[in-house]
């Protein structure tokens, strides 16, 4: 058709630089080049492969520690066996002082100190043991989160373990790598909640499934309401919004994920990188058209959302301590891992505890802690006497208990401040000085990317720089008012540029004024 002068040509989007390199060579393509990379050494690897495409395999070049890579796994639901944990411990152990691991805010593990030349043999071990790190970084779907006590919680509605696994298998082609979903416009987060508490911050995911009885009444069919578009980024932070869709707790969940991912892949902006997450597409299309596009992709219509979800007002557990399971005579015990940082010895010990006292299963939480499930009543006392249970306490002091922290400047190039050690040290100091009557959840994040989720915290800290006495110093913006669980809401920034060296005093005042703390 010949365009008339009154017609305007469709706007052609200028692709961002990530799109250009993805178009030149797919991220997953480096899978076939690992032996070559191992042989040539990391210094000789093409820069875009090294710092970009390898992330499609979960291999992260760290500018802060050149040659010592971070390996990000996928642990759906945060669940792994003692056998898998032991393999990961052995990998970390071989790197001596460089080797360590972190439990992440998506109930996942990241290994540190890893050498590129070892990746082929590490991946062989992964394949033999059912571990994978595929598609865990860049424009892929991240670790899929679910209640850390799925299948064992007394208040469970839907055991989401199989569904989470099916969604991961669909996205990754059973961990082989799936080109259909490895070139999304941007990162993507999915969560499935199956209990009566929102244990996984569903509201900050691009797609989340929340348990809901279809008619709102408990005698109607149990399934999920779907919410979409939650995100944190330097440019924008938003809670997910209802898609106005209810789905049964069956393979429809997988289909909805597939359809939403397809609509995002085919229609999402690939221009300004700060405007490419799902919520920007929903804004551009309008929620109704977006929902219609998802239905078209599924080839079926979606039922409207249930009038209410089944999350209760009781709040969100941190799962630390001893809890009876729904299976009579069995218990799960949540152990506190300060800011999620662990070493090979700790990992071996966790594997041992799980085997000796439980059924060999280990679970991770989005608060970066560990749960050992399936401990019989008769073994509980002996378990609680174990040395690692003293180290990773079931009852840490009030402020130490609630710290969550992103990686920070020790390993992350984006970081404006050191986070993990500082978070733990300040909490220990203030616990020694103050009686704090109730839990105060504190989240630390080293830069505006918000990996440490400061907006969900009672008090959140976001790394920045400030000037003090004419010098640039590490500082934080302080967020307050984040709520989790049924009435989740994002916190707001209440203070800007507080130098970290002044934080102890500022926090003491905040804890006394807003949280009823008193001097010891
Ligand atoms: Fe994150 C990028 C660490 C959860 C938002 N995140 C990064 C990178 C990969 C940057 C880099 O290459 O250095 C960090 C790796 C540092 C390192 O060496 O560990 C990093 N993010 C993390 C982890 C490890 C923080 C932690 O200590 O737990 C978490 C890993 C989760 C996992 O297992 O996959 C992690 N990141 C999050 C979350 C929280 C969540 O998912 O609940 C968010 C906010 C939620 C969201 O995504 O909407 C988050 N990370 C980001 C962003 C901002 C995304 C955006 O749309 O702008 C970036 C930067 C980017 O993607 O450009 C980022
Ligand atoms: Fe790195 Fe910033 Fe994420 Fe912390 S919030 S891990 S500093 S990108």
């Amino acid at each position: 058709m010949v365009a008339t002068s009154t017609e305007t040509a469709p706007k052609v989007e200028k692709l961002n630089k990530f799109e250009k390199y993805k178009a030149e060579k797919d991220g997953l393509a480096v899978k076939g080049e690992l032996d070559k990379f191992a042989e040539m050494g990391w210094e000789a690897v093409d820069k875009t492969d090294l710092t970009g495409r390898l992330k499609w395999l979960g291999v992260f070049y760290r500018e802060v520690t050149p040659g010592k890579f971070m390996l990000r796994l996928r642990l759906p639901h945060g669940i792994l066996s003692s056998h898998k944990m032991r393999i990961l411990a052995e990998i970390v152990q071989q790197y001596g002082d460089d080797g360590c691991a972190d439990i992440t805010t998506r109930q996942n593990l990241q290994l540190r100190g890893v050498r590129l030349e070892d990746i082929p043999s590490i991946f062989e071990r992964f394949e033999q043991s059912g571990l994978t790190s595929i598609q865990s970084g860049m424009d892929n779907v991240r670790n899929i989160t679910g209640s850390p006590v799925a299948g064992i919680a007394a208040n469970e509605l839907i055991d989401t373990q199989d569904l989470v696994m099916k969604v991961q298998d669909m996205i990754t082609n059973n961990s082989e790598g799936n080109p259909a979903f490895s070139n999304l416009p941007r990162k993507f987060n999915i969560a499935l909640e199956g209990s009566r508490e929102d244990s996984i911050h569903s509201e900050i995911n691009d797609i989340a499934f929340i348990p809901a009885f279809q008619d709102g009444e408990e005698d109607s069919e149990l399934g999920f309401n779907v919410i979409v578009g939650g995100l944190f980024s330097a440019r924008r932070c938003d809670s997910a919004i209802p898609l106005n869709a209810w789905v049964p707790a069956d393979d429809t969940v997988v289909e909805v994920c597939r359809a939403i991912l397809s609509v995002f892949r085919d229609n999402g902006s690939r221009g300004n990188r700060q405007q490419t997450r799902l919520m920007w597409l929903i804004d551009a299309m309008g929620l109704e058209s977006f929902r219609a596009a998802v239905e078209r992709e599924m080839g079926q219509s979606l039922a409207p959302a249930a009038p209410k979800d089944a999350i209760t007002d009781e709040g969100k557990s941190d799962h630390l301590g001893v809890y009876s399971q729904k299976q009579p005579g069995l218990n799960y015990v949540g152990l506190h891992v300060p800011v999620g940082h662990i070493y090979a010895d700790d990992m071996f010990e966790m594997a041992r505890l799980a085997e000796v006292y439980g059924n060999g299963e280990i679970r991770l939480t989005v608060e970066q802690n560990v749960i050992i499930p399936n401990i019989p009543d008769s073994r509980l006392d002996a378990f609680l006497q174990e040395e690692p249970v003293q180290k990773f306490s079931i009852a840490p002091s009030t402020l130490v208990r609630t710290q969550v922290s992103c990686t920070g400047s020790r390993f992350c190039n984006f970081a404006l401040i050191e986070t993990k050690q500082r978070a733990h040290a300040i909490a220990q100091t203030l616990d020694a000085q103050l009686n704090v009557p109730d839990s105060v959840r504190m989240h630390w994040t080293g830069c505006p990317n918000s990996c440490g989720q400061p907006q969900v915290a009672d008090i959140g800290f976001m790394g920045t720089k400030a000037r003090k006495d004419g010098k640039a110093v590490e500082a934080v913006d302080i967020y307050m008012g984040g709520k989790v669980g049924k009435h989740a809401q994002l916190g707001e920034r209440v203070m800007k540029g507080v130098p970290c060296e002044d934080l102890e005093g500022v926090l003491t005042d905040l804890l006394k004024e807003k949280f009823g703390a008193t001097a010891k």
Side-chain angles (χ1 to χ4, degrees):
M1 195 171 75
V2 180
T4 65
S5 58
T6 52
E7 282 175 339
T8 42
K11 204 173 143 210
V12 180
E13 196 176 53
K14 189 167 172 278
L15 295 182
N16 63 57
K17 64 176 183 189
F18 296 86
E19 292 303 327
K20 287 187 187 142
Y21 84 65
K22 289 192 290 178
E24 277 162 24
K25 176 174 155 190
D26 188 70
L28 285 176
V30 288
K31 197 178 170 196
E33 297 179 83
L34 288 174
D35 288 337
K36 186 180 80 187
F37 292 168
E39 218 164 90
M40 71 203 312
W42 68 269
E43 291 97 332
V45 174
D46 167 80
K47 186 125 191 282
T48 313
D49 287 344
L50 182 74
T51 60
R53 294 189 189 93
L54 274 171
K55 291 182 182 167
W56 267 257
L57 309 182
V59 180
F60 287 63
Y61 174 75
R62 300 292 74 196
E63 237 166 76
V64 184
T65 58
K68 298 164 195 169
F69 289 73
M70 180 268 277
L71 185 52
R72 177 186 282 169
L73 283 116
R74 298 192 79 91
L75 297 173
H77 247 291
I79 300 179
L80 73 166
S81 65
S82 53
H83 176 63
K84 289 178 179 172
M85 184 62 109
R86 211 168 262 125
I87 289 173
L88 300 175
E90 282 165 14
I91 293 168
V92 166
Q93 191 179 41
Q94 67 185 304
Y95 301 113
D97 288 347
D98 292 336
C100 57
D102 288 294
I103 304 170
T104 77
T105 51
R106 295 197 70 79
Q107 59 184 175
N108 193 10
L109 278 173
Q110 294 187 163
L111 312 185
R112 302 208 181 265
V114 178
R115 308 288 170 150
L116 193 56
E117 56 269 29
D118 300 331
I119 290 290
S121 61
I122 290 174
F123 281 3
E124 236 167 73
R125 295 191 79 186
F126 277 11
E127 213 174 307
Q128 287 156 6
S129 57
L131 281 161
T132 185
S133 60
I134 197 91
Q135 289 170 236
S136 59
M138 285 303 287
D139 298 348
N140 286 292
V141 180
R142 298 289 191 276
N143 195 43
I144 301 170
T145 55
S147 165
V149 289
I152 58 176
N155 66 352
E156 178 161 85
L157 291 168
I158 304 167
D159 181 350
T160 47
Q161 291 177 83
D162 285 351
L163 282 175
V164 165
M165 202 62 227
K166 280 184 180 173
V167 175
Q168 168 163 311
D169 285 345
M170 177 271 292
I171 289 164
T172 65
N173 182 26
N174 303 309
S175 306
E176 282 297 304
N178 186 358
F181 295 118
S182 67
N183 184 2
L184 300 173
R186 201 65 164 94
K187 72 179 295 193
F188 202 94
N189 294 322
I190 301 179
L192 273 79
E193 178 60 68
S195 80
R196 285 190 185 269
E197 60 177 88
D198 185 350
S199 55
I200 39 147
H201 306 301
S202 56
E203 73 284 358
I204 62 171
N205 284 265
D206 295 271
I207 312 177
F209 295 85
I210 319 280
F213 293 93
Q214 187 168 17
D215 302 338
E217 302 303 326
E218 305 231 342
D219 55 1
S220 60
E221 189 182 347
L222 190 52
F224 301 99
N225 276 348
V226 185
I227 59 174
V228 286
L231 84 157
F232 290 164
S233 71
R235 171 78 185 267
R236 174 180 188 180
C237 295
D238 265 321
S239 290
I241 55 173
L243 180 65
N244 185 22
W246 177 91
V247 293
D250 60 21
D251 288 356
T252 319
V253 167
V254 186
E255 268 308 288
V256 167
C257 290
R258 195 195 57 74
I260 292 177
L261 284 168
S262 304
V263 171
F264 179 49
R265 178 195 60 206
D266 299 342
N267 301 280
S269 163
R270 291 171 186 263
N272 180 345
R273 189 85 175 153
Q274 283 298 333
Q275 298 181 10
T276 51
R277 294 287 297 270
L278 180 69
M279 191 61 116
W280 293 93
L281 175 65
I282 296 171
D283 284 350
M285 292 178 77
L287 186 64
E288 275 307 306
S289 318
F290 174 74
R291 188 180 184 281
V294 173
E295 287 181 323
R296 272 197 304 281
E297 189 61 46
M298 291 177 74
Q300 68 180 81
S301 49
L302 288 160
K308 59 179 187 197
D309 64 43
I311 304 288
T312 58
D313 271 330
E314 277 155 40
K316 178 180 183 305
S317 163
D318 61 11
H319 303 291
L320 296 179
V322 179
Y323 298 81
S324 301
Q325 293 182 195
K326 70 176 171 194
Q327 295 83 2
L330 292 181
N331 308 277
Y332 67 85
V333 180
L335 305 179
H336 178 253
V337 179
V339 287
H341 195 57
I342 45 177
Y343 295 89
D345 289 349
D346 304 324
M347 296 160 83
F348 284 123
E349 282 295 77
M350 285 168 191
R352 180 181 67 79
L353 289 180
E355 277 170 9
V356 172
Y357 296 95
N359 66 339
E361 201 175 84
I362 299 164
R363 295 172 177 224
L364 310 175
T365 72
V366 295
E367 286 83 18
Q368 304 174 315
N369 294 315
V370 163
I371 295 170
I372 308 288
N374 298 311
I375 305 176
D377 291 342
S378 59
R379 305 283 288 139
L380 198 52
D381 282 346
F383 176 86
L384 295 175
Q385 299 305 316
E386 280 276 1
E387 196 272 325
V389 181
Q390 315 316 310
K391 179 174 180 186
F392 299 116
S393 170
I394 62 164
S397 55
T398 315
L399 299 177
V400 164
R401 178 177 186 132
T402 58
Q403 303 297 307
V404 170
S405 174
C406 86
T407 305
S409 61
R410 190 167 163 215
F411 299 108
C412 181
N413 190 42
F414 288 107
L416 298 164
I417 63 167
E418 196 287 315
T419 49
K420 288 211 177 208
Q421 291 173 35
R422 178 175 274 139
H424 188 52
I426 287 187
Q428 278 180 312
T429 305
L430 293 181
D431 269 336
Q433 295 169 358
L434 297 172
N435 287 309
V436 187
D438 294 313
S439 153
V440 181
R441 293 173 307 98
M442 295 202 199
H443 283 232
W444 288 72
T445 211
C447 80
N449 284 330
S450 296
C451 306
Q453 314 145 325
Q455 304 85 347
V456 307
D458 292 314
I459 307 181
F461 306 91
M462 182 185 287
T464 184
K465 296 282 186 216
R467 290 198 81 75
K468 188 177 178 192
D469 306 329
K471 279 193 306 204
V473 291
E474 294 202 345
V476 286
D477 290 346
I478 297 185
Y479 284 69
M480 286 184 71
K483 290 197 176 20
V484 292
K486 186 169 182 70
H487 305 292
Q489 88 181 25
L490 303 185
E492 300 281 344
R493 188 171 62 193
V494 294
M495 280 186 224
K496 269 180 90 171
V498 179
C500 291
E501 58 198 63
D502 298 341
L503 208 46
E504 204 179 297
V506 171
L507 260 180
T508 301
D509 292 346
L510 263 185
L511 289 165
K512 284 183 177 169
E513 279 165 27
K514 308 274 184 198
F515 298 93
T518 51
K520 268 191 176 156

